[in-house]
Amino acid sequence: MLLQLDYKDSRPIYEQISDGCRKLILAGVLAPDEPMPSVRSMAMELSTNPNTVQKAYAELERQGVIYTVKGRGNFVSGDLKAPLGARKAELREKIAMLLKEADELGIDRNELLEGMVKK
Amino acid sequence: MLLQLDYKDSRPIYEQISDGCRKLILAGVLAPDEPMPSVRSMAMELSTNPNTVQKAYAELERQGVIYTVKGRGNFVSGDLKAPLGARKAELREKIAMLLKEADELGIDRNELLEGMVKK
Amino acid sequence: MLLQLDYKDSRPIYEQISDGCRKLILAGVLAPDEPMPSVRSMAMELSTNPNTVQKAYAELERQGVIYTVKGRGNFVSGDLKAPLGARKAELREKIAMLLKEADELGIDRNELLEGMVKK
Amino acid sequence: MLLQLDYKDSRPIYEQISDGCRKLILAGVLAPDEPMPSVRSMAMELSTNPNTVQKAYAELERQGVIYTVKGRGNFVSGDLKAPLGARKAELREKIAMLLKEADELGIDRNELLEGMVKK
DNA sequence: GTGGTCTAGACCACA
DNA sequence: GTGGTCTAGACCACA
């Protein structure tokens, strides 16, 4: 796995793990039905506690990004349309809030996005 | 003050207060050198702990948005150019990160910003 | 609180707690915006670990039955329509599955429900 | 066999197998004294662990649904009255519990069963 | 081997 | 005071 924990990050460790995995999975780096690293092995790799990884995986399962088979492990979800759509909606909402604040500060949206988006 | 606390907001109370005040001040709703509501009165108004308002004000002072005069209270900064510029840079950086994630998920930037920005 | 843990129950403790609380709340025993017992106090009362109660409360928050205010505690949700509706749908689905199995075994639905429902 | 495992099902694999087989047998799809698929072949067919199928068969034997002849295999019970009656009682009890919860939530039983039972 | 639950206890941010 | 995170470690069911 290509995950890197950052102790300066304000997000808790379990969230860095779930966010990182979700990103990799939704980006297609991990294929559907492929097994995730086991809770224990990922904990070893990241030098963290298995409970912390478990919490991250539980969140991913809740989001529909992975599924758990008892006694066998965790696997990348077969259908990622829903979680991908959900994430897209989240990104849109976050950007909308930031742009709204810019409006209130009198900052022009196009100026704020200068160089970030092709017109 | 036109502040409204939202307990479903994931941000802690003190941050909602400092974010809200900064927004109002940078948007020009509160004029430079005007006095801020006292810590006590704002705590009363928001039904929250004075320590919490204190923490919010400390953050605003750190950002240069307000200044404190011992024994007299807190006042809106006379020169808001620096904090306004800093906030603008923050907004840009946050949006950039969100757009980068969208790229990685294969979401087109223009599609993501659909209806949020005039072309 | 009127909660009783049952160690013979196959459900894990945290689920007994969340199920029990949800039942009490949705039944109207606890009023909206009333504070839940603190994580620590409920753990004491049930002679269980605070982490276990926390897990139960996290589940209730996810279901929209309670909301958490950092540093203040957990409170009964103000609007219980959604979780009540969700629970009703769950009950319907469970009953439907049981009735479907009865059909397959050749058991008449009306006979199975004998004495449980007024015609 | 017409069994289908569902990894999204919350029941463990062995229980899905025993539930599924019991359903087929009690519904008359498999005739009394007919041989069950061997543990090995069913494990192959379901791509699961033989231990898991073994556990499912043990459960079915305990319930009187099948019987085991050492060295020869597992066979559908000759007399299914007892297990059928037991299952019916189980279904009744489960439904009764769900209806009781509905009562406590103020949901009308007839409304909950809407469309599921002829009056 | 796998994940799931639970405990005891520490430490933190927040109000 | 409150909840949130994390660790270390035990024990269990399941495959």
Side-chain angles (χ1 to χ4, degrees), chain A residues 23 26-27 87-88 91-92 94-95 98 101 104-105 109-114 116-118, chain B residues 23 26-27 87-88 91-92 95 98 101 104-105 109-114 116-118:
Chain A
K23 220 162 144 176
L26 294 187
R87 185 64 187 155
K88 185 180 163 188
L91 291 174
R92 262 187 75 86
K94 285 184 182 179
I95 291 175
L98 296 171
E101 184 177 344
E104 289 164 349
L105 299 184
R109 290 184 171 208
N110 281 296
E111 184 197 332
L112 192 71
L113 293 171
E114 188 79 40
M116 292 195 208
V117 60
K118 304 156 205 157
Chain B
K23 223 159 136 177
L26 293 187
R87 186 61 187 159
K88 184 179 164 187
L91 291 174
R92 263 187 74 86
I95 291 176
L98 296 171
E101 184 177 343
E104 289 165 350
L105 299 185
R109 290 183 171 210
N110 281 297
E111 186 196 331
L112 192 69
L113 295 170
E114 187 80 39
M116 294 204 243
V117 61
K118 304 155 203 157

Side-chain angles (χ1 to χ4, degrees), chain D residues 29-85:
Chain D
V29 176
L30 278 70
D33 296 313
E34 283 292 305
M36 296 290 291
S38 77
V39 168
R40 276 196 181 186
S41 68
M42 175 163 284
M44 291 279 285
E45 199 183 332
L46 299 177
S47 306
T48 192
N49 194 306
N51 291 338
T52 306
V53 178
Q54 184 60 54
K55 186 164 186 178
Y57 277 16
E59 176 64 11
L60 290 172
E61 189 177 15
R62 203 192 56 74
Q63 295 169 346
V65 177
I66 65 175
Y67 60 92
T68 301
V69 183
K70 276 183 191 168
R72 294 222 23 237
N74 294 276
F75 300 84
V76 176
S77 275
D79 182 7
L80 296 170
K81 279 175 215 151
L84 181 57

Side-chain angles (χ1 to χ4, degrees), chain A residues 17-31:
Chain A
I17 297 175
S18 62
D19 280 359
C21 289
R22 192 189 51 231
K23 220 162 144 176
L24 289 172
I25 292 171
L26 294 187
V29 176
L30 279 70

Side-chain angles (χ1 to χ4, degrees), chain A residues 49-97:
Chain A
N49 189 290
N51 285 337
T52 305
V53 177
Q54 180 119 32
K55 191 168 183 177
Y57 277 16
E59 176 63 14
L60 290 172
E61 188 179 19
R62 206 190 58 72
Q63 296 170 347
V65 176
I66 65 176
Y67 61 91
T68 300
V69 185
K70 275 183 192 166
R72 299 231 282 185
N74 291 278
F75 302 83
V76 175
S77 199
D79 184 5
L80 296 169
K81 278 174 218 151
L84 182 57
R87 185 64 187 155
K88 185 180 163 188
E90 272 176 33
L91 291 174
R92 262 187 75 86
E93 195 186 353
K94 285 184 182 179
I95 291 175
M97 280 176 52

Side-chain angles (χ1 to χ4, degrees), chain C residues 23 26-27 87-88 91-92 94-95 98 101 104-105 109-114 116-118, chain D residues 23 26-27 87-88 92 94-95 98 101 104-105 109-114 116-118:
Chain C
K23 221 161 141 177
L26 294 187
R87 186 62 188 157
K88 185 180 163 186
L91 291 174
R92 262 187 75 86
K94 284 184 182 180
I95 291 176
L98 296 171
E101 184 177 344
E104 289 164 350
L105 299 183
R109 290 184 171 209
N110 281 296
E111 184 197 331
L112 191 70
L113 294 170
E114 188 79 39
M116 292 195 209
V117 60
K118 303 156 204 156
Chain D
K23 222 159 137 176
L26 294 187
R87 187 62 187 159
K88 184 181 164 188
R92 263 187 74 86
K94 285 185 182 177
I95 291 175
L98 296 171
E101 184 177 343
E104 289 166 351
L105 299 184
R109 289 183 172 209
N110 281 296
E111 185 196 330
L112 191 70
L113 295 170
E114 187 80 38
M116 294 202 233
V117 60
K118 303 156 204 156

Side-chain angles (χ1 to χ4, degrees), chain C residues 61-76:
Chain C
E61 188 179 19
R62 206 190 58 72
Q63 295 170 348
V65 176
I66 65 176
Y67 62 91
T68 300
V69 185
K70 275 181 193 168
R72 300 230 283 184
N74 291 278
F75 300 84
V76 175

